[in-house]
Amino acid sequence: MLQTFLKNSLVYTAGQVFTSSIAIFLLPIYTRYLSPSEYGVIDLFIIITALVNLTIALEISQGIARYFQEAKNEKEKRKYTSSAFWFTIFVYLLFFFLTYIFSDILTLWLLEDINKKGLFLLATFSVVTNGIFYFTRNQLRWQIQPKNSVITSFLNILLIASISVYLLVIEGLKLESIFIGQIVGNITASVVAIFYARKSYGLTFSIIKFKKMASYSMPLVLSSIGVFIALYIDRIAIKDLLGLNELGTYGVAYRFAAVAFLVMAGFQQSLSPLVFKNYKKKGTPVNISKILNIFTIFALFIISGSILFSKELVILFTTKAFYSSSSFISILVMAVFFSQMYIFAPGMSIAKKTKLISMISIIGAILNVILNYTLIPIFGLSGAAYATLIAAVSTFSLYIIISQRYYLIPYQAKTILVAFIVVLIISYGIVSISDEIQLIFIIIKTIILLLVLISSSYILLDKDNFQKIKLKISDKILK
């Protein structure tokens, strides 16, 4: 399992590095051609997209994840996939139909200008196409096809970037350019993803298979709403309390914090399918613990880097209107990590305790709402960042404690905690000495960052695993 994980993780991580690099490349273009309030509209529809993806299709894709690998033959696998796919198509088309009927009301509510109805409908259709792409790309994950999944992601982001930039810079379409790029990229990449998994799709719908998947996934909708609130309540509260301009500034900080997904993507996309496939094997709990240690090394490196270099990155990639976002990037990086680390606590998912998962997520969501609406009026955007981090850490702690009852994993918790605290003390200590952008300080901070990577690798990896990982990376590079 560990060897397969490392192989798949490298593929997913490479793909995420590429797609995130494109996103970072787009950031200086967007911030120069769009105002903070216009950027806030983009962030608003990112929030809407996430909420729709997590709810209207009843998280049916998670049902495929749970049962696909256990299916007896290809025919049964096709029934699972096809049933979920046609249900997904139906609910997204229904969603667009309903939003079209109520488009006047929704445009006034969200964009506060009836003249922006065309923009609203365009953005809504991009939400629909994103949901279909979300399903088809996930299917490649459940079938453990990392290369094909990454190819579809490459195609998606390249089309979105090229079309959006052309329409924005050359044609001057402003926000419309972003949503048109997303629509074309999502539709094209979805077709390619279906082609790669074509043996799993068919003109069939099994009520029995659908009910089985839905009974597993429906309780996860509440969990997903909890996760959604945990991830987005800060931006919802900012729009409510501070406005679109501040939301745009915070959204830029979140774009930089999304570098955390460079690490999470490889682990998240490759670990879950392997856990469901191998959880009955004796060595799997130890392997999960080792994988968490590997993750921690990269996470500490990214966290330290975000603390040391956030000011330089914001100045390099944005304009003066967004410079204030640098002060809370590192907090958001940590919040992103903790909000996604539940993958290392698979006990409740293995035991099919989806109602319990939902309960934890809702508790975390309520805590997040209370903290955001308490701290934002006092501390502004920094209050939102700290509220999100506190809620993420609390929710992750509950996941770990309860999941251990169903599937015991021998974590090296004390070692990881000590390493985390030491990295925070050193990184913030260096920044507190001087935050000026000078060559000597950049060199010192770079050395500190490299020392974090080396020392954490030495502490968290045993020698055998260190050699295996080094050989795997070397083989990938040589190929």
Side-chain angles (χ1 to χ4, degrees):
M1 175 183 166
L2 187 59
Q3 186 176 7
T4 304
F5 166 78
L6 291 172
K7 178 182 176 182
N8 293 350
S9 180
L10 284 171
V11 174
Y12 282 122
T13 301
Q16 190 65 34
V17 167
F18 178 82
T19 54
S20 296
S21 298
I22 295 294
I24 292 172
F25 163 76
L26 291 173
L27 193 58
I29 299 175
Y30 287 173
T31 54
R32 279 164 176 78
Y33 284 87
L34 300 173
S35 67
S37 61
E38 287 173 324
Y39 204 88
V41 172
I42 295 175
D43 233 48
L44 178 63
F45 276 96
I46 288 174
I47 295 169
I48 293 170
T49 299
L51 178 61
V52 171
N53 285 350
L54 293 173
T55 54
I56 67 167
L58 305 181
E59 281 286 66
I60 199 68
S61 183
Q62 298 298 321
I64 301 177
R66 184 63 186 86
Y67 294 110
F68 187 84
Q69 291 295 336
E70 294 181 355
K72 296 177 182 179
N73 50 53
E74 293 300 319
K75 184 178 180 181
E76 190 174 7
K77 289 181 178 180
R78 191 180 302 113
K79 286 182 179 180
Y80 279 121
T81 305
S82 298
S83 301
F85 176 71
W86 293 117
F87 170 75
T88 300
I89 293 290
F90 171 75
V91 294
Y92 272 101
L93 290 177
L94 179 62
F95 165 77
F96 184 72
F97 176 72
L98 292 174
T99 54
Y100 179 80
I101 291 175
F102 298 103
S103 57
D104 288 347
I105 297 171
L106 292 171
T107 301
L108 282 172
W109 178 46
L110 294 171
L111 303 180
E112 301 173 355
D113 186 352
I114 192 62
N115 294 321
K116 294 181 179 179
K117 179 179 176 180
L119 177 64
F120 168 78
L121 290 173
L122 193 65
T124 302
F125 191 62
S126 77
V127 172
V128 171
T129 59
N130 181 271
I132 295 169
F133 175 61
Y134 175 80
F135 178 94
T136 56
R137 184 183 57 181
N138 273 346
Q139 184 58 33
L140 295 175
R141 284 180 58 200
W142 313 143
Q143 296 184 198
I144 314 181
Q145 296 182 27
K147 291 181 181 178
N148 292 338
S149 177
V150 167
I151 289 171
T152 58
S153 295
F154 279 2
L155 179 62
N156 178 257
I157 193 66
L158 283 173
L159 286 171
I160 290 173
S162 57
I163 293 171
S164 297
V165 169
Y166 173 78
L167 294 176
L168 179 64
V169 177
I170 306 301
E171 300 295 333
L173 284 184
K174 291 293 184 177
L175 285 171
E176 292 87 350
S177 63
I178 311 301
F179 297 120
I180 291 171
Q182 290 176 357
I183 290 167
V184 176
N186 291 334
I187 292 174
T188 307
S190 296
V191 171
V192 173
I194 291 170
F195 173 78
Y196 281 136
R198 56 193 178 277
K199 292 183 179 179
S200 295
Y201 291 93
L203 297 174
T204 182
F205 188 92
S206 171
I207 296 294
I208 295 174
K209 300 299 183 188
F210 174 77
K211 286 183 177 179
K212 186 176 181 181
M213 290 185 290
S215 65
Y216 175 84
S217 68
M218 282 181 66
L220 291 175
V221 174
L222 285 177
S223 174
S224 296
I225 292 172
V227 171
F228 167 83
I229 294 172
L231 285 174
Y232 294 103
I233 191 59
D234 49 353
R235 281 166 275 184
I236 294 170
I238 288 167
K239 181 183 181 296
D240 184 28
L241 298 173
L242 303 178
L244 279 174
N245 194 68
E246 286 74 11
L247 177 60
T249 301
Y250 193 82
V252 166
Y254 229 108
R255 294 300 182 283
F256 285 108
V259 72
F261 288 109
L262 292 177
V263 176
M264 285 307 312
F267 288 83
Q268 194 172 39
Q269 295 183 54
S270 59
L271 182 59
S272 296
L274 289 174
V275 167
F276 286 130
K277 187 176 181 179
N278 298 284
Y279 70 90
K280 294 179 181 179
K281 295 181 180 178
K282 187 177 180 181
T284 297
V286 174
N287 283 330
I288 293 173
S289 178
K290 290 178 179 178
I291 291 169
L292 175 59
N293 286 357
I294 296 169
F295 164 81
T296 302
I297 293 166
F298 291 107
L300 291 177
F301 178 77
I302 297 297
I303 290 169
S304 180
S306 69
I307 295 169
L308 295 171
F309 293 105
S310 59
K311 186 175 181 179
E312 288 87 344
L313 288 170
V314 170
I315 291 174
L316 179 62
F317 287 102
T318 71
T319 60
K320 193 172 182 179
F322 297 93
Y323 285 177
S324 61
S325 63
S326 65
S327 60
F328 38 87
I329 287 175
S330 59
I331 305 301
L332 291 176
V333 167
M334 288 184 273
V336 169
F337 277 133
F338 280 107
S339 69
Q340 302 295 308
M341 283 173 61
Y342 61 86
I343 62 170
F344 298 106
M348 289 181 285
S349 294
I350 291 171
K352 302 177 184 177
K353 301 293 182 180
T354 51
K355 291 181 181 178
L356 195 54
I357 293 173
S358 298
M359 188 184 301
I360 294 172
S361 297
I362 294 299
I363 290 171
I366 292 170
L367 176 62
N368 210 345
V369 171
I370 293 170
L371 288 171
N372 268 280
Y373 276 91
T374 301
L375 297 182
I376 289 175
I378 301 172
F379 301 107
L381 296 180
S382 293
Y386 280 108
T388 303
L389 175 60
I390 294 168
V393 172
S394 302
T395 305
F396 172 67
S397 300
L398 280 175
Y399 264 101
I400 289 289
I401 292 168
I402 297 176
S403 283
Q404 287 290 78
R405 299 177 182 177
Y406 298 100
Y407 195 76
L408 187 63
I409 297 172
Y411 302 113
Q412 295 180 359
K414 290 182 180 179
T415 304
I416 291 172
L417 183 60
V418 169
F420 177 67
I421 293 171
V422 170
V423 166
L424 291 184
I425 292 171
I426 292 173
S427 300
Y428 279 116
I430 294 295
V431 172
S432 67
I433 294 172
S434 177
D435 64 348
E436 294 182 10
I437 301 177
Q438 297 179 5
L439 181 60
I440 183 63
F441 288 117
I442 291 174
I443 293 171
I444 291 172
K445 288 192 284 189
T446 302
I447 293 171
I448 294 296
L449 188 58
L450 291 174
L451 287 175
V452 166
L453 180 62
I454 294 168
S455 58
S456 58
S457 298
Y458 181 79
I459 293 169
L460 292 167
L461 289 180
D462 57 58
K463 292 182 180 179
D464 290 340
N465 278 334
F466 187 81
Q467 290 298 325
K468 287 179 182 178
I469 292 170
K470 192 165 70 173
L471 287 172
K472 278 287 175 188
I473 294 173
S474 299
D475 289 343
K476 283 287 177 184
I477 292 172
L478 290 173
K479 287 180 180 178

